[in-house]
Amino acid sequence: MEILKNVVLALHIMGVVALLGGVLYQIGAMRAGRARVLPAMMHGAWTMLVTGILLVGLLYPLGHEVNNVKITVKLVVLIAIIVIALVNRKRETVATWVLASIGGLTVLNVLLATVWR
């Protein structure tokens, strides 16, 4: 069961990389006013959601304590990311605040995961 948890955690981290990597990839396009929400960013956000739910579900049978307040805050931040990305995914170009907020919220989620104990 611990191996399964580690595999799901690796997939969760890959989702973060896809989301944040997409934002970083678009920095040049943001400067030129041609930034957009990439499909990889959407896939990363959905991967984070699914694997995050699986991780929480796997913690209970493994006997780990789950900080439900932390998980709820992280879920709210991820839902905000998904909503912003969904609303703007079909636009040819997006305002700079869109990708900046997606990137900032993603970094916030990483900080919540690592700093909040």
Side-chain angles (χ1 to χ4, degrees):
M1 192 70 115
E2 192 72 31
I3 293 172
L4 178 61
K5 181 191 78 113
N6 289 334
V7 169
V8 173
L9 179 61
L11 291 172
H12 190 70
I13 292 170
M14 287 180 209
V16 173
V17 169
L19 183 57
L20 196 55
V23 171
L24 294 175
Y25 181 77
Q26 288 292 302
I27 287 176
M30 281 175 29
R31 289 184 184 140
R34 293 178 284 123
R36 61 190 188 96
V37 175
L38 300 174
M41 295 163 63
M42 290 302 306
H43 293 299
W46 288 116
T47 300
M48 285 174 60
L49 179 64
V50 171
T51 57
I53 292 169
L54 286 173
L55 281 171
V56 172
L58 287 171
L59 289 178
Y60 285 105
L62 289 172
H64 295 289
E65 293 260 340
V66 178
N67 185 343
N68 288 318
V69 175
K70 173 183 170 180
I71 298 303
T72 303
V73 170
K74 286 179 54 57
L75 180 62
V76 167
V77 171
L78 182 56
I79 288 172
I81 293 169
I82 290 172
V83 167
I84 292 169
L86 276 174
V87 168
N88 293 286
R89 77 180 192 279
K90 295 208 179 204
R91 296 189 177 156
E92 200 60 37
T93 59
V94 296
T96 55
W97 71 266
V98 172
L99 291 179
S101 60
I102 290 173
L105 289 170
T106 304
V107 170
L108 174 64
N109 233 354
V110 170
L111 289 173
L112 289 171
T114 56
V115 176
W116 189 347
R117 291 284 165 196

